[in-house]
Amino acid sequence: VQLQASGGGLVQAGGSLRLSCAASGRTFSSYGMGWFRQAPGKEREFVTVTTWSGSIRYYADSVKGRFTISSDNAKNTVYLQMNSLKPEDTAVYYCATGPYLATTANKYDYWGQGTQVTVSS
């Protein structure tokens, strides 16, 4: 499975961004599609995950109510809509997929290249 993340950028606090993650290849092995982020000097942390059907979604408490994950099966693409962004949301955002619906990075087999999100105060 190959993952291509896009949509990052620079935004002011309170603004919005939408990230995309397009999957290709042997996507039949993909069950959970997740987003993680990593800020400088910090460990990679879970943000959100969804099944391709969208029937099950989990969010980290830090983003609940502000971020929304969605999927478009026809395009093999997962989106992360980020609203009410805060400076502490600044990080490199990675999409990932694997056979589980997991909140820990080691459960994911395939990773995208990451896209930088910077929120200015």
Side-chain angles (χ1 to χ4, degrees):
V1 179
Q2 293 80 43
L3 301 176
Q4 181 70 40
S6 61
L10 173 64
V11 64
Q12 288 188 334
S16 299
L17 280 175
R18 189 177 81 155
L19 306 183
S20 300
C21 179
S24 60
R26 299 167 69 86
T27 56
F28 61 82
S29 64
S30 168
Y31 179 66
M33 284 290 297
W35 287 96
F36 288 76
R37 65 187 182 186
Q38 188 166 17
K42 294 188 177 182
E43 293 188 353
R44 192 168 297 189
E45 65 171 356
F46 167 76
V47 176
T48 180
V49 63
T50 184
T51 55
W52 277 106
S53 68
S55 60
I56 305 173
R57 300 172 184 174
Y58 298 134
Y59 294 93
D61 288 343
S62 58
V63 306
K64 211 170 284 185
R66 301 188 297 123
F67 290 11
T68 302
I69 190 170
S70 62
S71 58
D72 185 335
N73 289 357
K75 296 182 178 180
N76 279 350
T77 300
V78 170
Y79 303 98
L80 180 61
Q81 178 66 43
M82 304 186 294
N83 299 329
S84 302
L85 282 161
K86 305 175 181 179
E88 51 263 44
D89 294 318
T90 296
V92 177
Y93 283 69
Y94 298 90
C95 57
T97 191
Y100 307 105
L101 194 70
T103 61
T104 54
N106 62 3
K107 295 294 187 183
Y108 289 82
D109 297 328
Y110 303 98
W111 292 82
Q113 83 284 10
T115 183
Q116 176 71 46
V117 171
T118 303
V119 184
S120 63
S121 57

